[in-house]
Amino acid sequence: MKTEFALAFKQVLSDKNLPEEIIIEALKYALVSAYRRSVNASSAQNVEADIDLETGEVVVFVEKEVVEDIQDNRTEVLIEEARKVNPETELGDLEMVESTPEDFGRVAAQTARQVIQQRIRQAERLAQYEYYNGKIGEIVTGVIQAVHRNEQTIGLNINAEGKMPRNHQIGKEYYRVHDRIRALLLDVE
């Protein structure tokens, strides 16, 4: 049986029309950011997050120094704990150990939301740019969204927007909002 997390993940994939890898990377980056904020971890410390897409379970791995007595549990781990991960570890070594906070699910959800949205917006913009950059010199269709004195704003596919300056319009042609239009794509920004 699929969990709510898995269903929500699939919904985001279908809504945003983005590759699964991009969404997973955005999730992992957001979880690492959430961990750093929740425990006030150093940006120099190596932190990795792993997520089970079926259950939504999050596991955070942090690089910590192996010691006998812990002074700072954010950056140090007991040798006994480190040897559970790597039996050959010695004092002073750096080991990646699991360090998921107790209430991390709730905290991560709150903190990660904005980071995930930002990453998804960046991926959408990149997809739009790549799509239209390949169509330079071709005719595209759109719907006029706004008529201004010096230019027309045209709504294109995949939530993109085009601008047609007055000097590129046919002289005696009049444009109204919601008219369908075909135009030559000259440039992409």
Side-chain angles (χ1 to χ4, degrees), residues 45 62-79 81 94 97 99:
Q45 191 174 20
V62 181
E63 187 176 54
K64 294 184 178 186
E65 183 179 359
V66 179
V67 295
E68 284 184 10
D69 294 322
I70 292 181
Q71 304 295 321
D72 184 359
N73 64 354
R74 294 176 299 167
T75 59
E76 298 173 338
V77 64
L78 290 173
I79 192 163
E81 293 296 317
L94 294 175
V97 294
S99 186

mmCIF file of all heavy atoms in Angstrom, residues 45 62-79 81 94 97 99:
data_model
loop_
_atom_site.group_PDB
_atom_site.id
_atom_site.type_symbol
_atom_site.label_atom_id
_atom_site.label_comp_id
_atom_site.label_asym_id
_atom_site.label_seq_id
_atom_site.Cartn_x
_atom_site.Cartn_y
_atom_site.Cartn_z
ATOM 1 N N GLN A 45 30.775 20.818 7.748
ATOM 2 C CA GLN A 45 30.532 19.422 8.103
ATOM 3 C C GLN A 45 29.785 18.724 6.969
ATOM 4 O O GLN A 45 28.811 19.255 6.436
ATOM 5 C CB GLN A 45 29.730 19.359 9.396
ATOM 6 C CG GLN A 45 29.640 18.005 10.009
ATOM 7 C CD GLN A 45 28.941 18.049 11.367
ATOM 8 O OE1 GLN A 45 28.228 18.984 11.670
ATOM 9 N NE2 GLN A 45 29.164 17.039 12.167
ATOM 10 N N VAL A 62 25.845 12.064 9.118
ATOM 11 C CA VAL A 62 26.715 13.201 9.378
ATOM 12 C C VAL A 62 28.131 12.706 9.615
ATOM 13 O O VAL A 62 28.342 11.693 10.289
ATOM 14 C CB VAL A 62 26.222 13.992 10.614
ATOM 15 C CG1 VAL A 62 27.102 15.187 10.893
ATOM 16 C CG2 VAL A 62 24.777 14.417 10.435
ATOM 17 N N GLU A 63 29.091 13.420 9.087
ATOM 18 C CA GLU A 63 30.491 13.094 9.300
ATOM 19 C C GLU A 63 30.911 13.629 10.672
ATOM 20 O O GLU A 63 30.785 14.818 10.949
ATOM 21 C CB GLU A 63 31.351 13.730 8.208
ATOM 22 C CG GLU A 63 32.794 13.301 8.247
ATOM 23 C CD GLU A 63 33.571 13.875 7.083
ATOM 24 O OE1 GLU A 63 33.543 15.102 6.903
ATOM 25 O OE2 GLU A 63 34.188 13.082 6.368
ATOM 26 N N LYS A 64 31.371 12.713 11.529
ATOM 27 C CA LYS A 64 31.763 13.093 12.886
ATOM 28 C C LYS A 64 33.124 12.511 13.211
ATOM 29 O O LYS A 64 33.508 11.467 12.685
ATOM 30 C CB LYS A 64 30.736 12.583 13.903
ATOM 31 C CG LYS A 64 29.367 13.227 13.771
ATOM 32 C CD LYS A 64 28.419 12.772 14.857
ATOM 33 C CE LYS A 64 27.078 13.453 14.744
ATOM 34 N NZ LYS A 64 26.219 13.112 15.871
ATOM 35 N N GLU A 65 33.818 13.183 14.114
ATOM 36 C CA GLU A 65 35.125 12.718 14.566
ATOM 37 C C GLU A 65 34.943 11.649 15.636
ATOM 38 O O GLU A 65 34.112 11.786 16.537
ATOM 39 C CB GLU A 65 35.930 13.888 15.138
ATOM 40 C CG GLU A 65 37.326 13.492 15.554
ATOM 41 C CD GLU A 65 38.122 14.667 16.104
ATOM 42 O OE1 GLU A 65 37.593 15.787 16.136
ATOM 43 O OE2 GLU A 65 39.266 14.428 16.512
ATOM 44 N N VAL A 66 35.725 10.596 15.560
ATOM 45 C CA VAL A 66 35.655 9.493 16.516
ATOM 46 C C VAL A 66 36.474 9.861 17.754
ATOM 47 O O VAL A 66 37.663 10.185 17.647
ATOM 48 C CB VAL A 66 36.177 8.183 15.887
ATOM 49 C CG1 VAL A 66 36.126 7.043 16.894
ATOM 50 C CG2 VAL A 66 35.380 7.842 14.634
ATOM 51 N N VAL A 67 35.807 9.827 18.941
ATOM 52 C CA VAL A 67 36.466 10.219 20.201
ATOM 53 C C VAL A 67 36.086 9.235 21.309
ATOM 54 O O VAL A 67 35.172 8.432 21.157
ATOM 55 C CB VAL A 67 36.053 11.659 20.623
ATOM 56 C CG1 VAL A 67 36.542 12.683 19.628
ATOM 57 C CG2 VAL A 67 34.553 11.757 20.804
ATOM 58 N N GLU A 68 36.811 9.354 22.468
ATOM 59 C CA GLU A 68 36.473 8.540 23.642
ATOM 60 C C GLU A 68 35.403 9.213 24.482
ATOM 61 O O GLU A 68 34.519 8.551 25.006
ATOM 62 C CB GLU A 68 37.723 8.276 24.478
ATOM 63 C CG GLU A 68 38.643 7.240 23.878
ATOM 64 C CD GLU A 68 39.823 6.943 24.794
ATOM 65 O OE1 GLU A 68 39.828 7.392 25.953
ATOM 66 O OE2 GLU A 68 40.742 6.257 24.343
ATOM 67 N N ASP A 69 35.514 10.522 24.655
ATOM 68 C CA ASP A 69 34.530 11.298 25.432
ATOM 69 C C ASP A 69 33.969 12.406 24.550
ATOM 70 O O ASP A 69 34.733 13.197 23.979
ATOM 71 C CB ASP A 69 35.183 11.923 26.672
ATOM 72 C CG ASP A 69 35.645 10.878 27.664
ATOM 73 O OD1 ASP A 69 34.923 9.875 27.825
ATOM 74 O OD2 ASP A 69 36.727 11.067 28.253
ATOM 75 N N ILE A 70 32.633 12.480 24.487
ATOM 76 C CA ILE A 70 31.986 13.470 23.629
ATOM 77 C C ILE A 70 31.956 14.835 24.322
ATOM 78 O O ILE A 70 31.461 14.965 25.437
ATOM 79 C CB ILE A 70 30.553 13.029 23.266
ATOM 80 C CG1 ILE A 70 30.608 11.805 22.367
ATOM 81 C CG2 ILE A 70 29.801 14.160 22.583
ATOM 82 C CD1 ILE A 70 29.267 11.302 21.923
ATOM 83 N N GLN A 71 32.487 15.847 23.627
ATOM 84 C CA GLN A 71 32.397 17.234 24.075
ATOM 85 C C GLN A 71 31.238 17.939 23.359
ATOM 86 O O GLN A 71 30.532 18.737 23.944
ATOM 87 C CB GLN A 71 33.705 17.986 23.791
ATOM 88 C CG GLN A 71 34.935 17.358 24.396
ATOM 89 C CD GLN A 71 34.904 17.388 25.916
ATOM 90 O OE1 GLN A 71 34.466 18.357 26.501
ATOM 91 N NE2 GLN A 71 35.347 16.320 26.537
ATOM 92 N N ASP A 72 31.083 17.638 22.069
ATOM 93 C CA ASP A 72 30.035 18.244 21.238
ATOM 94 C C ASP A 72 29.408 17.136 20.395
ATOM 95 O O ASP A 72 30.038 16.637 19.460
ATOM 96 C CB ASP A 72 30.644 19.332 20.351
ATOM 97 C CG ASP A 72 29.597 20.076 19.525
ATOM 98 O OD1 ASP A 72 28.405 19.747 19.621
ATOM 99 O OD2 ASP A 72 29.993 20.994 18.783
ATOM 100 N N ASN A 73 28.186 16.759 20.710
ATOM 101 C CA ASN A 73 27.569 15.628 20.006
ATOM 102 C C ASN A 73 27.199 15.953 18.555
ATOM 103 O O ASN A 73 26.835 15.067 17.804
ATOM 104 C CB ASN A 73 26.367 15.085 20.777
ATOM 105 C CG ASN A 73 25.246 16.093 20.892
ATOM 106 O OD1 ASN A 73 25.384 17.249 20.497
ATOM 107 N ND2 ASN A 73 24.134 15.655 21.440
ATOM 108 N N ARG A 74 27.292 17.219 18.149
ATOM 109 C CA ARG A 74 27.041 17.572 16.746
ATOM 110 C C ARG A 74 28.201 17.161 15.852
ATOM 111 O O ARG A 74 28.003 16.868 14.669
ATOM 112 C CB ARG A 74 26.814 19.081 16.593
ATOM 113 C CG ARG A 74 25.549 19.572 17.271
ATOM 114 C CD ARG A 74 25.450 21.065 17.153
ATOM 115 N NE ARG A 74 26.614 21.674 17.815
ATOM 116 C CZ ARG A 74 26.965 22.938 17.698
ATOM 117 N NH1 ARG A 74 26.285 23.744 16.926
ATOM 118 N NH2 ARG A 74 28.016 23.404 18.340
ATOM 119 N N THR A 75 29.408 17.147 16.414
ATOM 120 C CA THR A 75 30.598 16.893 15.587
ATOM 121 C C THR A 75 31.407 15.678 16.026
ATOM 122 O O THR A 75 32.369 15.322 15.359
ATOM 123 C CB THR A 75 31.530 18.124 15.606
ATOM 124 O OG1 THR A 75 31.914 18.379 16.957
ATOM 125 C CG2 THR A 75 30.854 19.334 15.007
ATOM 126 N N GLU A 76 31.021 15.052 17.145
ATOM 127 C CA GLU A 76 31.799 13.925 17.658
ATOM 128 C C GLU A 76 30.909 12.717 17.917
ATOM 129 O O GLU A 76 29.729 12.861 18.230
ATOM 130 C CB GLU A 76 32.498 14.328 18.967
ATOM 131 C CG GLU A 76 33.481 15.476 18.791
ATOM 132 C CD GLU A 76 34.041 15.963 20.108
ATOM 133 O OE1 GLU A 76 33.425 15.750 21.172
ATOM 134 O OE2 GLU A 76 35.113 16.583 20.064
ATOM 135 N N VAL A 77 31.515 11.532 17.805
ATOM 136 C CA VAL A 77 30.807 10.284 18.053
ATOM 137 C C VAL A 77 31.741 9.366 18.853
ATOM 138 O O VAL A 77 32.961 9.390 18.671
ATOM 139 C CB VAL A 77 30.356 9.619 16.724
ATOM 140 C CG1 VAL A 77 31.538 9.209 15.880
ATOM 141 C CG2 VAL A 77 29.440 8.439 16.986
ATOM 142 N N LEU A 78 31.127 8.591 19.748
ATOM 143 C CA LEU A 78 31.911 7.634 20.538
ATOM 144 C C LEU A 78 32.479 6.542 19.637
ATOM 145 O O LEU A 78 31.845 6.135 18.652
ATOM 146 C CB LEU A 78 31.042 7.001 21.625
ATOM 147 C CG LEU A 78 30.610 7.903 22.772
ATOM 148 C CD1 LEU A 78 29.621 7.182 23.673
ATOM 149 C CD2 LEU A 78 31.820 8.369 23.565
ATOM 150 N N ILE A 79 33.636 6.038 20.013
ATOM 151 C CA ILE A 79 34.300 5.010 19.204
ATOM 152 C C ILE A 79 33.439 3.753 19.098
ATOM 153 O O ILE A 79 33.407 3.089 18.062
ATOM 154 C CB ILE A 79 35.723 4.706 19.734
ATOM 155 C CG1 ILE A 79 36.480 3.854 18.707
ATOM 156 C CG2 ILE A 79 35.685 4.055 21.117
ATOM 157 C CD1 ILE A 79 37.965 3.832 18.896
ATOM 158 N N GLU A 81 30.142 3.590 18.956
ATOM 159 C CA GLU A 81 29.099 3.837 17.941
ATOM 160 C C GLU A 81 29.699 3.812 16.533
ATOM 161 O O GLU A 81 29.095 3.280 15.610
ATOM 162 C CB GLU A 81 28.419 5.186 18.194
ATOM 163 C CG GLU A 81 27.606 5.242 19.467
ATOM 164 C CD GLU A 81 26.421 4.292 19.437
ATOM 165 O OE1 GLU A 81 25.734 4.210 18.397
ATOM 166 O OE2 GLU A 81 26.184 3.613 20.457
ATOM 167 N N LEU A 94 37.356 10.286 10.849
ATOM 168 C CA LEU A 94 36.043 10.878 10.546
ATOM 169 C C LEU A 94 35.168 9.777 9.964
ATOM 170 O O LEU A 94 35.572 9.093 9.019
ATOM 171 C CB LEU A 94 36.182 12.032 9.561
ATOM 172 C CG LEU A 94 36.937 13.254 10.058
ATOM 173 C CD1 LEU A 94 37.107 14.268 8.941
ATOM 174 C CD2 LEU A 94 36.237 13.886 11.238
ATOM 175 N N VAL A 97 28.028 8.769 10.262
ATOM 176 C CA VAL A 97 27.139 8.020 11.153
ATOM 177 C C VAL A 97 25.742 8.598 11.072
ATOM 178 O O VAL A 97 25.553 9.776 10.775
ATOM 179 C CB VAL A 97 27.651 8.048 12.618
ATOM 180 C CG1 VAL A 97 28.964 7.304 12.756
ATOM 181 C CG2 VAL A 97 27.783 9.460 13.126
ATOM 182 N N SER A 99 22.513 10.286 12.216
ATOM 183 C CA SER A 99 22.318 11.300 13.243
ATOM 184 C C SER A 99 20.988 12.023 13.031
ATOM 185 O O SER A 99 20.922 13.246 13.094
ATOM 186 C CB SER A 99 23.479 12.298 13.203
ATOM 187 O OG SER A 99 23.376 13.194 14.270
#
